[in-house]
Structure formats: C-alpha cells, structure tokens
Amino acid sequence: MGSPTGPQRQFPSGAAYAEALQHTQLCFQHPELKGARAELTRLGLPRAVSGAFASVFSLTSAASGQRYAVKCFTRHVPDQEQRYEAISSRLALLDPAGLSQPWKLGFEYLPDAVRVGKDLYPVLKMDWIKAVTLSAWLDAHHSDRPAVGRLADRFEALTRDLSAHGIAHGDLQHGNLLVASDGTFRLVDYDGMYVPALAGLGGTERGHRNYQSPLRGNDDFGAELDRFSAWVIFLSLKAIAVDPALWNRLHEPSGEFLLLTEEDFKSPAGSTGLRTLLAHADRAVSDLAEQVRSLAFQPLELLPPLDLAVPGPRTSATATPTPPPAGATAPGTGGLPGWMSGHLAEQPATTPATPVTAPPGGFHTRTALDVVVAVLWPLALIAALLLPVARIATALPGSLIPLALAATATAFARSRRTERVRSRAALDALTKQLAHVEDPAKAAAKLHKERTRFEAAEKHRQATYPRTQDELTAQYHAALRDAEQRRTRKLRDIAKKIDGLSEERRRALAKALADKQSAYIRNQLGRRSIAQSPPHGIGPKLVARLADDHGIRTAADFTGYRTVQNSSYNSTGAVLVLPGGRRADVRGIGEAKAAALVAWRQKVLAAAVARQPTTLSAAEQQPVEQNITHRRTQLTSRHTAVESETETARKQAKKRLEEAREHLARQNTAAETSARRKRQEFSRRTTEIQQNNTLHATLTTDVEAARSRQSELTYACYLRFLYRAS
Amino acid sequence: MPYTAEISRSNPTSIIFLVDQSTSMSDPIGGEVPQQKADVVADAINRLLTELSVKCAKEEGVRDYFHVAVIGYGATVGSAFAGSLAGRDIVPLSEVADNPARVDERSKRVPDGAGGLVETTVNFPLWMDPVASGGTPMNRALRYAENLVAGWTERYPAGFPPIVINLTDGESTDGEPSAAAEAVTAHATADGAALLFNLHVSAAGGTPTAFPDTADGLPDSYARTLFAMSSPLPAHMRAYAASQGRRVSETTRGFVYNADITSVVQFLDIGTRATELR
Ligand SMILES: Nc1ncnc2c1ncn2[C@@H]1O[C@H](COP(=O)(O)OP(=O)(O)O)[C@@H](O)[C@H]1O
Ligand SMILES: [Mg+2]
C-alpha cells in the first residue's frame, strides 16, 4: 500500500493499530511504551477512541506505571513532525503559573515509534488526562447554573491564554475541550494548532463543521483561527447558564454539537437553534446570539476575539441571578405589568362611580302647608260631627265632605314635601347607574368562556407550528429525493448509452470495412473483361453478343445463372442473373456455357477476395471515430446537464423550503403578537370586572337603602309626621 | 450536492453486504497461497466489521453511525450472521461490535524489530463463517436488499443513503439481475439514491480491474452486467480511492473485477468510506 517514504504516505487503519497494539512488546521500542499494558475492550482488543485523523489508545507503562494516551495516526499530515516540534517548543515557553487553568497537555512526538506490519509510524505520546469531554460534562451538569457559568468564564479565560501568546488551537469543540473534576479545562488534540513559528505552513484541517464559520477555508491558518468557534462555545455555555432547559431543548442526545450546528451559521433564518437564542428573553443570550449571527458572514481575520467583547467583570455570569425566561404569555414577574399602569390611571374616570348623596329617611321640618293641613283635620272632624245636627247638610254623605277635603289637602301637601321628590330622584338615579354597570357575574362567565375558547385555539396553533415545520422539512426531503431519483435514472440511461458506444463503434468499423471490401471486389470484378480472357467455350461471337445485346462485359456484370425450361419442348436452357436481380436470356448460351461463365467469374472473385483489404486506414476510420466521439461528447454533456439540472432542482427546493419557513415564522410571530394582545385584553377585562364588582355591590346596597327610605314616606307616615311632637 | 449528508447517530446510514455463498465460492483464488473465495470474502467482511467498530469508537463506546446487515445467498437467502446475531438483518454497529460469534486466536508472523520474524497470535473477532453451497440466487438477494433499503430510506429520509455491497463470483442462477439491481438504486433519500457496488471474483480470468469507468476490457458478459449494475462512486469515495492510489474518473463505478485479497479489503474500505463521521 503505497511507498512508505512518499509525501502521500499511506497510514495503517485504526483496526490495524488495534491489532499491532496487542503486542506492545513487539510493536514499540520506546522504553516507556515497550510492553506497556493497553486498556482492552470486552473482545480483548486494545480499546480505541477514534477521530477523523487518528485513533487514541490508553497504555500504562510497564516500566514506570505511568498512564499515557497514545495517538496513532490514520492519515498523512503534511510536516507533522515539524509542526509538533514547533508546537511543543512554543507551549514549553508558557509558564503554568501564568495560565488561567492547567489546560496545557504534556506530550512527546515520537517519529517511527510503532511498527505495523513491516513499517514504522509516528505516535504522539501524551499524558493521560482524567477528564470528560465538554459534551459529556454538560450532559451531567447542565442544570447546575453556577457551575456552567463558571465554566463559561473559564472558557473565555482559556481563549485569552491562547490569544495572548498568538496561539490558536484550530479545532475548538466539545471533543477536544475536556473538563476535569475540579471544573477546569484540559485542551487536547493539537494536530491543527497554530503557533507563530508555523505561519508559513497551511492548515491541516478545517475543524469541526458544527463550530466553524461558513467562510473558513482550507487555507485559513493563523492566530485568529479559533475566534468563531470561541464565540459559538461561549454563547452556548452562557445560554445554558442562563436557561439550563436549552440543553435538552436544542442539544440532541449524543449530537455532535452543543446548541448550534453548521445549519445555524449557514442559514440562520431557517434554523431553529439560532432563532431560539436570538429570540431569548434574556438580553445576554440574545445579544450573544446576534453577535454569532453577524460573525458568520465576516471574514475570519475581522472577527473580534472573545475577550474584547465580554463586558465588565467576568464573574457576572455566575453572580447575576437571572430571571426565568418569560414566554409569550402574560408577564407576571411581580409588580404591575407595564401596559396596566395607563389603564389603571384611567379606570376611575371611566367608571360612573359618582356617589349619590342619599337623604336621611322620613319627613323633617314642617312647612306652612304642613301646618295648614294639620289644622285642617281637626276642623274637618268637627264640621263632620256638627253638620248633621244643624241639618245643614241635606244628605248623609254631605257630612263627609269636610273629611274628603282634608284628605285631599293632605295628599296635596304630602306630594309637595321635598323628601319624597328627592328620594324618588335618588332611587331613579341609582337604578339607572346600576343598569349601566355590567353584572360582574355574567361578565366573568362570558370572559371565562371566551378565554377558554381562545386558549384552546392557541394551544392548537402552537401544536400545529412544529408539525407544519416538520411537514415543510419532509416536503423538502421528498423533493430532494425525487430529484435524486430522477438524476439516478437519467444518469443510468446515459451511462448505458455510453457503455453501448464501444459496441456501436465496433459495428460501425466492421461495416466500414465490409463496405470497403465489397467496393474493392466490385472494382476487381469490373476490371476483368470477358473479352480479354474468355472462359472456355465462349467464342468472340458470344462475347460480342453478351456485350452488345446485354451489356455484359466484365465479371461484375453478372452474378450467376438460372436454368429455365425452354418453351421448345423438353430442352433445358439458362439465363444469366445480372447484378440487381434482372435476368438476361442470351441467345446461344445454354446451361453448360452459363456454368462456364459463372465458374470463370467465381475464380476471379476468389482471387479478389484473397487480395481484398483487411484493415481500414486511419483516414477511413476517422469518420466513425469522429461520430462516436461526437456522440460521447453529447452524452457527456447530457450527463453534465443532468447534474446541473439536479443541482438547480435541489437549490429550488431549498429556496422553497426557506421561503416557506420564513413565511411560517412570520405568520407565527404575527400570531404570537396577536395572542399577546388578546391576553392583555383579557387581563384588562379581568381587572375591570373586579372593579365593577365592588361598584355593583355598592350600588345594589344603595338602591336597597333608597327603596327602604322610599317606603318611609307613605301617607300614614305623613299623617304621623303632621302631629308628631318635634 | 448529493452524498454529502453528515453521518451521525441521529442520521446513521446502513451498509448491506450481499455475500455469494454458492458452491463455486469454494474454488481457490489468489497468488502464492491460494485461498478459497468464500474464505477470502468472509475474512474481508469480518475484518471490515472490526474496522468499522474501531473507526466509530468514542470514549463512551462504539457509536451507531452505521447499521450493518450481512445477507448470504446460496442454498438460502438471509442473514449470514453467526452466533447471537444469527437471523438478524440490519443491526446497529454498537451491537455488532459487542456480539461477534466468537473471537479466534490467529497465528501471525510479526517482525521482531531486530530483522527477524516471530510467531504470535492475535485476537480476531468473527461474525460470519464461510459457506459455499447451492446456486446463486442473485435476484432474490437483490430483492431482499431492496426491501431493507426501502425500509431504511423511509426511516431516514434525509440521511446518507444505504450502501449495498454485493460480493459474488459471477453468474446469477435465477435470471438476469439488472432489473433487480435497478430496483435497489431506485430508492433514494434526500441525499441521493441508494448505492450498489459489486465485487466480482471470477474464474474467467482476464485482467484484474478496479473502479473502471467503462465496460471495455471486461472479459465476459457477467462482468459487464455487474459493471452496468454498479453505481458511480460518490465524489468523496472517488477522492479516497484516488488517495489510495487508484485511477479514477468522474464516471468511475463501484465495481472491482478479480481483485486480490488486499484489494477486496480496500474495496470494502472505499465503499464504506463515510463522508465525515461526526
Ligand atoms: N491525552 C489524552 N488523555 C485522555 N484522553 C484523550 C487524550 N487525548 C485525546 N483523548 C481522547 O481521545 C479523543 C480523540 O482524541 P483527539 O486527539 O481529539 O483525536 P482526533 O484528532 O481524532 O479528534 C478525545 O476526544 C479524548 O476523548
Ligand atoms: Mg479531536
């Protein structure tokens, strides 16, 4: 497999290393590794942790008992030894005391250290680090907000350590950032590390796709290599520290990312992750998300380092008690919601709560009229008693007249009392007011009904949204699948035709040769004239007759003969067959002469066949080749056309998806806004009902009171008032 | 671009091996030390399963980037797994990795570092045993695979499409297989049509050919048929084949004729090369 010294050297596979490491006594020469004990799998093979470029094995030295992580490379990395040397000497200059945390990994690059088969390969011998990957750590600790906050700050400090020395790791991601049990970072995998001494060399890898700027290219290699990934990781950690539920919401179990993926950076509009963070209620999260979104479209060298953009002391993340994120529902974080203040100020004004001053009950203070009426009654009584005696009256009813007068006067006087007028007015006013105030019980029932109906509709709408999103995605995938199926079918047809071309070429060449040969033979036959060497039995006369009467001059002018039954009884004659099938009945040529002629022609033919050309000249082949080449070119360009058609179809499907998603998102936002308004309206109505409730109760009591006062102003009460001692 | 879907645990892909187990697979192939074809093929698949397990091993264990089926066809058509996976069709890689039928100790001569060779043994996990009996029901095998492919593309409509790898010594005994092969590759995910690769181990002789882009030069109609059935190699596999020293072109097919033992392993390695495991 390839030359072991060439620049593109082939490397053993992970399984080949796992086999070799079954005998560390044989495969290693280094004193620490020779005979070292490899950690094994259940099957008894050395346990590997594999990445894209290498497999890492755990080996415990037989000599020192020291445990190592030994990285065996499965791919060629240009200038690997030089790179590791430069990295090693640069890192050696870093004073551990000057670092934010002990992230630095001790390692030694050993060229030609492991034997696999006949050949020797390098390994990277590293100190074994007891720590877990960042993703595993978050699985276990994401709900410990202070711890995640601290980790975010430590991460920021780590990036400052690196940038302070002009170093970039190159592949910052959850698998290369290990977290030790004390919550500090260990940085592993220095394969793609940039140190200033490597400035001239290119990059070796592009880093994990879920952490890189869409603009990072193969050749990017410099001190700012980590910036985008640093922002992505910092945003993720901060967001989780603020809102631990995000981990379960955006991180798929065992997904190869934290909260955001490549999709989020490439098309933020259509992705859920970044959109969720952008819309987060906590400003710290949404601002960082905004930052990441804008960074995705800036050239790498223009990206700001993480430390420049972290405002204030970095302890803020751990210390700030962050409020739970408010959803779209009513804000209820204590105090009054902002929208209410205005309403509350207006509220008393809008309610018709002007209290009606109720008059004290009963009649008070006699007027002159009252006095007159009071005097009238005794006089009327006396008159009523005296009139029958004095026979003034003519009839019995006549004696009741004075009493009737007194009663009428009393009724008149009562009606003139202001108490009655005022009380009536008060009752009327109160009743009218009460009629204006909506019955709170009814209003509450109505509101409740509306609210229930609304919330049910909202719930349905919210449940439909992700389903519609999924449907859009499924439609998109189906469109892509259809495009792929069309593509495969068309390409297969084209491939079949291309495969058929060589057969076609063979046939065309064979035909060209056959044509050439028959032309040659026709020509040869045409050159042999019968007159020059007539066959036996054909005299000059016959030759002349053949030529003159029938145009038969050469071997090319006839092809055979047929026997015919002569019209004259019982004799057999012959006719010559001409090219094209016509027949010539030549006088004087019977069967024998015809046979002789044909035999002569046969000999001529055999001689021609023996000398006929058996190959085509290059010039003769050319039209065939040209035709085939033309067809091949056509098919190839059809192939290209199919590919670009497919690409267009895919792009269109993608565009449709993005548009539909955006449309859906806009619709959703609008629906959310109107839902919020509706809920505000409900809350406003609730407070209104509460206030009305009090007012309604007051008014009802007042009406009751007014009624009872009204009942104190009857005729009897008035009579009693007239004679009451005041 | 098709065939660029990220292969992840939530979007895994499946690899379906179809292994010819007909009587003729007991014929020998290979150079100095001839081996039975059936042995070579079984060895290659066992080795590849170990390879995949190591490639997908992470700190917490083997990740299910792939789900694997090994289907034998000869006297019968069905799962060729032995041991506790017997009878199973598509199995997640982590389960495959943990459940070989057995682990053999194979003797091996290894350089001792001092210029000599020493005899040692290595642990060699085995999932399938070589079998050679019966006809070559390639149509049935392809239809069996189609069934698995159809189920898979429905389950993972956006993932990297399934890869079917057919290892055979030649002529189908249940009819011309082209239509059944087309039916396999007619299934597709959003990332591309299912891939069908063929490894032809023939007794007909002729020049060994790897990843050709034309049927010219193939010795017989069986080889040409298998070539025509094979999918073009996706770009990343082409690139990998090229890095392995193979000559490839835009229309290179996943087809190998009369490869030697190393090439069989390499063919499987190229044919199962993932875009990127993340
Ligand atoms: N020194 C080490 N100590 C312990 N585990 C390590 C060490 N180096 C690497 N690892 C583990 O191996 C994994 C892969 O190693 P890494 O160097 O990142 O390889 P790759 O370049 O293939 O990603 C890491 O994610 C980590 O879990
Ligand atoms: Mg790594």
Side-chain angles (χ1 to χ4, degrees):
Chain A
M1 284 214 192
S3 120
T5 47
Q8 275 296 346
R9 183 182 183 191
Q10 301 294 315
F11 275 71
S13 66
Y17 282 119
E19 189 172 294
L21 264 61
Q22 292 184 29
H23 299 286
T24 51
Q25 192 64 45
L26 294 172
C27 72
F28 291 119
Q29 288 305 317
H30 191 282
E32 278 291 278
L33 300 180
K34 196 173 175 64
R37 187 171 46 78
E39 192 190 329
L40 302 180
T41 66
R42 261 187 27 174
L43 305 184
L45 306 184
R47 180 191 300 283
V49 177
S50 299
F53 296 88
S55 289
V56 176
F57 296 89
S58 159
L59 292 173
T60 305
S61 169
S64 65
Q66 197 71 37
R67 189 176 179 190
Y68 297 104
V70 174
K71 188 170 194 172
C72 300
F73 300 95
T74 51
R75 270 203 225 173
H76 168 81
V77 177
D79 317 306
Q80 195 179 41
E81 186 171 359
Q82 183 196 346
R83 283 172 195 275
Y84 267 112
E85 238 155 55
I87 294 165
S88 181
S89 28
R90 184 67 193 85
L91 293 182
L93 299 179
L94 302 188
D95 173 13
L99 299 179
S100 62
Q101 56 208 304
W103 54 260
K104 209 169 76 170
L105 168 71
F107 65 87
E108 199 180 341
Y109 182 84
L110 306 172
D112 293 339
V114 62
R115 180 181 298 280
V116 181
K118 302 187 299 295
D119 295 323
L120 290 168
Y121 299 91
V123 301
L124 187 72
K125 174 172 101 22
M126 301 174 275
D127 299 338
W128 180 263
I129 285 171
K130 240 179 87 64
V132 297
T133 61
L134 177 55
S135 47
W137 187 90
L138 281 169
D139 275 331
H141 299 286
H142 64 272
S143 46
D144 184 349
R145 285 162 53 168
V148 181
R150 275 195 300 278
L151 202 68
D153 296 336
R154 294 217 169 99
F155 175 72
E156 190 270 320
L158 166 62
T159 63
R160 253 180 309 130
D161 285 346
L162 291 171
S163 58
H165 298 97
I167 301 171
H169 178 271
D171 188 17
L172 289 184
Q173 42 113 331
H174 60 267
N176 292 335
L177 286 160
L178 308 188
V179 184
S181 55
D182 66 352
T184 56
F185 279 109
R186 303 289 180 278
L187 196 54
V188 301
D189 191 356
Y190 299 172
D191 293 357
M193 188 174 268
Y194 170 86
V195 294
L198 296 178
L201 299 174
T204 57
E205 53 180 303
R206 293 171 76 160
H208 198 295
R209 68 205 281 182
N210 289 331
Y211 291 83
Q212 299 307 322
S213 158
L215 299 181
R216 177 164 175 183
N218 276 335
D219 298 332
D220 285 303
F221 194 54
E224 54 295 308
L225 215 47
D226 288 338
R227 293 197 176 161
F228 189 79
S229 52
W231 280 102
V232 171
I233 295 166
F234 187 67
L235 162 63
S236 304
L237 291 175
K238 276 283 186 202
I240 298 165
V242 164
D243 182 2
L246 286 172
W247 180 249
N248 288 326
R249 199 144 124 230
L250 298 182
H251 176 81
E252 278 167 31
S254 70
E256 300 299 327
F257 58 97
L258 295 176
L259 300 182
L260 300 176
T261 70
E262 190 182 25
E263 271 309 293
D264 290 295
F265 317 136
K266 281 191 176 159
S267 52
S271 72
T272 23
L274 195 55
R275 278 233 315 271
T276 305
L277 298 184
L278 283 167
H280 202 277
D282 191 288
R283 278 292 296 275
V285 176
S286 55
D287 285 356
L288 271 172
E290 189 50 57
Q291 171 80 329
V292 166
R293 168 161 72 174
S294 69
L295 294 185
F297 299 100
Q298 289 174 27
L300 290 194
E301 59 277 9
L302 297 186
L303 301 187
L306 194 50
D307 46 281
L308 283 191
V310 177
R314 277 155 304 274
T315 46
S316 62
T318 49
T320 316
T322 29
T329 26
T333 37
L336 280 177
W339 61 265
M340 271 183 81
S341 47
H343 289 265
L344 285 185
E346 296 162 27
Q347 212 69 21
T350 52
T351 6
T354 18
V356 178
T357 35
F363 297 102
H364 306 275
T365 327
R366 277 179 284 253
T367 59
L369 186 58
D370 297 327
V371 175
V372 171
V373 173
V375 173
L376 207 56
W377 271 105
L379 290 180
L381 272 174
I382 293 162
L385 291 173
L386 291 185
L387 271 179
V389 180
R391 291 172 193 255
I392 292 172
T394 47
L396 185 79
S399 64
L400 294 177
I401 287 168
L403 287 180
L405 278 173
T408 311
T410 308
F412 173 73
R414 174 171 161 254
S415 73
R416 300 306 299 262
R417 286 295 307 190
T418 51
E419 282 89 348
R420 267 187 56 84
V421 178
R422 288 225 310 276
S423 160
R424 162 99 298 153
L427 183 58
D428 283 354
L430 283 170
T431 318
K432 219 153 126 201
Q433 266 189 32
L434 190 58
H436 275 298
V437 178
E438 208 184 1
D439 181 352
K442 268 196 218 140
K446 185 164 163 251
L447 177 61
H448 177 74
K449 212 165 116 195
E450 269 179 53
R451 204 171 202 161
T452 315
R453 209 175 322 124
F454 169 78
E455 290 302 341
E458 259 304 276
K459 210 163 143 195
H460 177 74
R461 185 187 67 75
Q462 278 168 354
T464 318
Y465 181 58
R467 240 183 297 133
T468 316
Q469 271 185 325
D470 289 351
E471 269 161 31
L472 287 179
T473 313
Q475 274 169 18
Y476 169 61
H477 287 157
L480 291 187
R481 186 201 55 216
D482 291 349
E484 282 307 314
Q485 278 173 326
R486 270 198 306 279
R487 168 180 176 270
T488 316
R489 211 169 42 237
K490 286 186 184 163
L491 289 187
R492 195 194 299 127
D493 285 350
I494 294 170
K496 265 187 199 155
K497 288 197 180 122
I498 292 181
D499 287 349
L501 281 183
S502 35
E503 178 59 24
E504 210 173 290
R505 171 178 173 274
R506 202 186 51 70
R507 255 189 272 125
L509 287 176
K511 181 167 175 300
L513 182 60
D515 287 351
K516 179 179 178 182
Q517 288 173 336
S518 58
Y520 173 84
I521 285 168
R522 230 177 305 114
N523 179 280
Q524 288 296 305
L525 294 183
R527 284 164 174 241
R528 282 299 281 266
S529 84
I530 304 173
Q532 262 171 24
S533 57
H536 185 72
I538 307 291
K541 247 198 199 140
L542 265 179
V543 171
R545 194 176 301 145
L546 280 166
D548 300 343
D549 297 359
H550 299 281
I552 301 173
R553 292 188 178 81
T554 68
D557 298 336
F558 66 102
T559 59
Y561 76 94
R562 291 271 179 283
T563 56
V564 288
Q565 213 56 40
N566 271 347
S567 48
S568 49
Y569 190 65
N570 231 5
S571 76
T572 312
V575 289
L576 289 177
V577 180
L578 306 184
R582 270 186 316 107
R583 290 167 187 204
D585 190 356
V586 184
R587 198 156 46 83
I589 293 192
E591 192 178 359
K593 292 216 165 94
L597 264 173
V598 170
W600 171 80
R601 180 185 177 277
Q602 214 53 42
K603 246 171 58 197
V604 176
L605 177 66
V609 167
R611 287 191 312 269
Q612 72 179 354
T614 52
T615 55
L616 292 171
S617 70
E620 288 159 340
Q621 280 182 25
Q622 208 221 351
V624 173
E625 300 290 7
Q626 216 165 25
N627 181 32
I628 296 291
T629 309
H630 176 66
R631 298 274 308 283
R632 194 183 296 277
T633 319
Q634 266 181 335
L635 288 168
T636 315
S637 65
R638 287 240 318 267
H639 181 107
T640 319
V642 168
E643 292 286 22
S644 70
E645 258 165 47
T646 313
E647 202 41 46
T648 313
R650 293 177 71 96
K651 275 201 193 110
Q652 278 167 351
K654 175 110 193 187
K655 198 164 153 242
R656 276 200 305 277
L657 170 74
E658 273 166 4
E659 281 167 2
R661 271 189 185 163
E662 232 164 86
H663 177 73
L664 187 65
R666 267 200 309 276
Q667 262 184 345
N668 190 56
T669 315
E672 298 274 351
T673 313
S674 93
R676 199 165 39 244
R677 285 217 194 93
K678 192 87 191 160
R679 291 201 176 95
Q680 287 172 359
E681 149 96 10
F682 285 142
S683 307
R684 189 181 56 69
R685 280 169 59 187
T686 309
T687 24
E688 212 174 280
I689 287 171
Q690 278 162 5
Q691 282 164 355
N692 280 358
N693 205 8
T694 332
L695 181 65
H696 194 268
T698 320
L699 283 176
T700 313
T701 333
D702 289 355
V703 168
E704 289 306 312
R707 284 227 177 82
S708 79
R709 272 193 305 276
Q710 186 78 3
S711 66
E712 284 165 30
L713 301 175
T714 57
Y715 198 89
C717 294
Y718 183 60
L719 283 180
R720 243 179 284 131
F721 159 72
L722 288 182
Y723 302 103
R724 199 173 58 200
S726 52
Chain B
M1 279 284 285
Y3 305 112
T4 49
E6 178 185 60
I7 298 180
S8 65
R9 282 170 289 177
S10 47
N11 253 324
T13 193
S14 64
I15 303 176
I16 298 163
F17 295 103
L18 298 180
V19 184
D20 183 345
Q21 299 185 319
S22 62
T23 311
S24 54
M25 290 298 284
S26 56
D27 296 344
I29 54 162
E32 299 134 46
V33 198
Q35 267 183 290
Q36 281 193 7
K37 291 182 215 165
D39 288 344
V40 171
V41 166
D43 242 39
I45 287 183
N46 286 321
R47 204 174 281 278
L48 188 85
L49 292 179
T50 302
E51 195 69 73
L52 287 176
S53 310
V54 172
K55 199 188 324 214
C56 300
K58 293 285 169 179
E59 53 174 2
E60 75 283 359
V62 174
R63 287 190 184 168
D64 290 325
Y65 294 122
F66 298 105
H67 294 221
V68 183
V70 183
I71 308 300
Y73 60 104
T76 57
V77 176
S79 170
F81 280 129
S84 62
L85 298 179
R88 300 271 304 274
D89 286 336
I90 297 190
V91 182
L93 184 63
S94 61
E95 216 183 322
V96 173
D98 273 349
N99 295 286
R102 57 182 192 280
V103 180
D104 271 5
E105 286 204 342
R106 295 216 167 163
S107 56
K108 202 178 171 193
R109 288 151 72 79
V110 181
D112 60 4
L117 288 171
V118 284
E119 185 93 17
T120 58
T121 59
V122 292
N123 292 330
F124 190 87
L126 291 165
W127 286 266
M128 68 169 291
D129 289 307
V131 177
S133 85
T136 312
M138 200 182 295
N139 271 286
R140 263 174 72 205
L142 287 166
R143 280 199 299 273
Y144 197 102
E146 191 209 332
N147 216 1
L148 299 180
V149 165
W152 186 269
T153 50
E154 208 164 293
R155 212 168 126 204
Y156 298 102
F160 192 94
I163 304 168
V164 180
I165 300 183
N166 180 31
L167 303 98
T168 176
D169 71 351
E171 77 201 74
S172 164
T173 53
D174 65 350
E176 223 269 337
S178 302
E182 283 190 15
V184 171
T185 53
H187 291 278
T189 69
D191 190 47
L195 295 167
L196 173 63
F197 300 144
N198 289 284
L199 177 87
H200 189 183
V201 201
S202 168
T207 337
T209 310
F211 308 112
D213 56 9
T214 162
D216 298 351
L218 293 176
D220 58 24
S221 67
Y222 300 115
R224 281 195 289 273
T225 302
L226 284 173
F227 167 81
M229 280 162 52
S230 305
S231 306
L233 281 187
H236 70 280
M237 292 190 193
R238 266 193 333 256
Y240 182 64
S243 82
Q244 296 290 302
R246 295 292 177 182
R247 270 240 311 275
V248 292
S249 79
E250 282 272 296
T251 50
T252 287
R253 307 270 185 106
F255 174 77
V256 168
Y257 177 77
N258 268 3
D260 58 11
I261 294 156
T262 357
S263 303
V264 174
V265 176
Q266 197 192 48
F267 168 75
L268 294 182
D269 185 30
I270 291 171
T272 56
R273 179 67 34 167
T275 39
E276 194 181 353
L277 299 179
R278 282 305 195 185

